[in-house]
Amino acid sequence: MNIEDFDFNLPEELIAQTPLKDRTASRLLVLDRHTRRTEHKHFADIKQYLREGDCLVLNDTKVLPARLYGIKEDTGAKVEILLLHQQEGDTWEVLAKPAKKIKSGTRLIFGDGALKAECTGTKEHGGRILQFSYEGIFYEVLDQLGEMPLPPYIKEQLPEKERYQTVYAKEEGSAAAPTAGLHFTNELLQEIKEMGVEIAFITLHVGLGTFRPVSVDDIQEHKMHAEFYHMSQETADQLSNVRKNNGRIISVGTTSTRTLETIVRDSGGDFREASGWTDIFIYPPYEFQAIDGLITNFHLPKSTLIMLVSALTDKETILKAYNEAVEERYRFFSFGDAMLIL
């Protein structure tokens, strides 16, 4: 399957630059993956499509202020670092710019020396291993010096850091938000619970794997970057009971989807407590084992994310829905509108 099969025309002005003041005010395109019919709603209307016994699965990862600006100790040259994941202690895998100037042994300084780092290894695609040193608590230093790692297509400054977090974010470790969850408020989640819909939590720390561009023509040759996930025994039991009682498991976001599909695949078809690294790449044709529906945002052309949503029905149906969203002037990407596929 060729990468060009997942292309579509997106006017630049439809890329949402700022979040809406009211999280639930975004629009919602509802796609019935069996009849292929679409409806145009607002996100708060999602309650109309949920029923007692269903379960929403949310990714409770919390975004780190993971973008750091500093200098090389020897030359004073400016550098930019994006934290990807913690390896052990104060050692982190990062993306570095300009990567070619940061070799093993290079020392970096951030915030007038409040945070220092030495490069101890190199990886492909601009990846570097940094050993940090600092006084105090790392996450407090990071909170002072770091910036929220907004995607490169967002040019506006974010006035409030919390607007790039879900209201249920808890487990620190992501380099980006699981953006499908940004539409929920605590009030909406409470209303959904009162309908008899279960809410379950998993964790996947969003890293390079979710957003790394596909650079090959044949998508089957693309390799995903591994990301860390965890599901508790409590969540596994919850999902098993929902499945046993014929409820629907509706994943909130592609990150939740990839986590659930990884766990069920690796366990031979069951939900179970699990932690590990997933590099699962979902594209058509794919037989989903864990989920019955998906809440997601609108994704970049030719991305692994649009490939995943295409696997839930077929790429022709998804691209038709995306073209409809363009015609209806939906807002796209991280701060944009949402889509429900059932």
Side-chain angles (χ1 to χ4, degrees):
M1 195 169 286
N2 194 281
I3 188 173
E4 298 299 329
D5 295 336
F6 298 91
D7 196 13
F8 64 94
N9 181 49
L10 178 66
E12 190 172 348
E13 66 268 18
L14 295 186
I15 300 173
Q17 293 296 314
T18 54
L20 298 177
K21 188 172 182 181
D22 177 2
R23 289 176 183 260
T24 65
S26 54
R27 296 167 74 189
L28 180 70
L29 190 153
V30 182
L31 172 64
D32 185 317
R33 62 193 179 114
H34 305 291
T35 66
R36 292 166 170 72
R37 290 179 181 165
T38 55
E39 294 180 88
H40 300 284
K41 299 285 186 175
H42 284 90
F43 194 79
D45 298 326
I46 201 162
K47 292 183 294 183
Q48 299 174 14
Y49 300 91
L50 303 175
R51 56 186 187 232
E52 186 176 357
D54 286 346
C55 182
L56 293 183
V57 184
L58 311 178
N59 181 3
D60 65 3
T61 188
K62 189 171 185 179
V63 186
L64 296 171
R67 182 164 278 126
L68 290 163
Y69 296 95
I71 59 170
K72 292 177 64 181
E73 186 179 64
D74 55 352
T75 65
K78 292 180 180 179
V79 295
E80 178 183 336
I81 298 298
L82 177 65
L83 302 177
L84 290 180
H85 65 82
Q86 189 174 15
Q87 290 196 327
E88 187 177 349
D90 293 318
T91 301
W92 286 73
E93 182 182 349
V94 307
L95 281 181
K97 286 200 308 188
K100 61 184 178 181
K101 299 289 187 182
I102 301 175
K103 302 179 173 64
S104 290
T106 301
R107 295 182 61 81
L108 308 174
I109 299 174
F110 307 93
D112 296 325
L115 184 64
K116 297 180 179 180
E118 180 177 347
C119 179
T120 60
T122 62
K123 299 177 78 73
E124 58 181 5
H125 306 296
R128 295 293 184 267
I129 306 300
L130 295 186
Q131 174 75 35
F132 286 97
S133 58
Y134 51 90
E135 298 264 339
I137 298 170
F138 179 76
Y139 288 112
E140 290 182 358
V141 176
L142 189 62
D143 200 47
Q144 292 171 5
L145 300 181
E147 292 185 2
M148 277 301 190
L150 295 179
Y153 50 75
I154 294 178
K155 313 299 181 189
E156 301 283 337
Q157 289 293 314
L158 186 63
E160 299 175 11
K161 281 184 180 180
E162 289 307 305
R163 199 54 186 84
Y164 193 56
Q165 301 278 19
T166 62
V167 296
Y168 47 81
K170 185 175 71 169
E171 302 294 338
E172 288 188 310
S174 268
T179 55
L182 295 178
H183 304 284
F184 287 97
T185 60
N186 288 318
E187 292 76 16
L188 179 57
L189 286 171
Q190 184 59 36
E191 291 170 14
I192 288 170
K193 277 198 230 177
E194 289 170 0
M195 294 169 53
V197 176
E198 300 223 19
I199 306 293
F201 293 98
I202 55 89
T203 303
L204 181 133
H205 291 320
V206 188
L208 190 59
T210 297
F211 298 104
R212 181 176 156 198
V214 179
S215 57
V216 291
D217 291 332
D218 182 353
I219 66 170
Q220 295 177 73
E221 296 176 5
H222 178 71
K223 302 297 182 190
M224 295 287 283
H225 192 279
E227 296 167 311
F228 180 79
Y229 69 87
H230 171 72
M231 183 163 80
S232 67
Q233 187 62 53
E234 180 185 359
T235 295
D237 292 342
Q238 198 176 359
L239 295 176
S240 296
N241 287 332
V242 169
R243 179 62 43 88
K244 186 173 70 175
N245 294 320
N246 297 315
R248 296 176 301 175
I249 294 172
I250 300 164
S251 176
V252 178
T254 56
T255 59
S256 297
T257 301
R258 293 174 62 239
T259 303
L260 294 172
E261 291 296 323
T262 296
I263 291 168
V264 171
R265 176 198 66 185
D266 292 350
S267 68
D270 299 321
F271 294 107
R272 61 168 188 178
E273 180 179 9
S275 295
W277 295 83
T278 180
D279 60 358
I280 191 171
F281 179 22
I282 297 173
Y283 57 89
Y286 177 87
E287 186 173 340
F288 286 85
Q289 299 180 67
I291 70 165
D292 304 295
L294 171 66
I295 300 167
T296 186
N297 280 19
F298 290 92
H299 304 295
L300 279 73
K302 303 182 184 179
S303 65
T304 60
L305 303 176
I306 194 171
M307 294 170 193
L308 184 153
V309 297
S310 295
L312 261 176
T313 169
D314 58 71
K315 64 182 174 59
E316 290 77 19
T317 298
I318 290 297
L319 290 176
K320 183 173 179 288
Y322 267 56
N323 288 327
E324 196 174 313
V326 169
E327 289 171 13
E328 295 289 334
R329 309 295 289 176
Y330 275 66
R331 302 165 81 243
F332 276 67
F333 304 164
S334 295
F335 289 141
D337 295 315
M339 188 176 191
L340 171 63
I341 307 172
L342 278 176

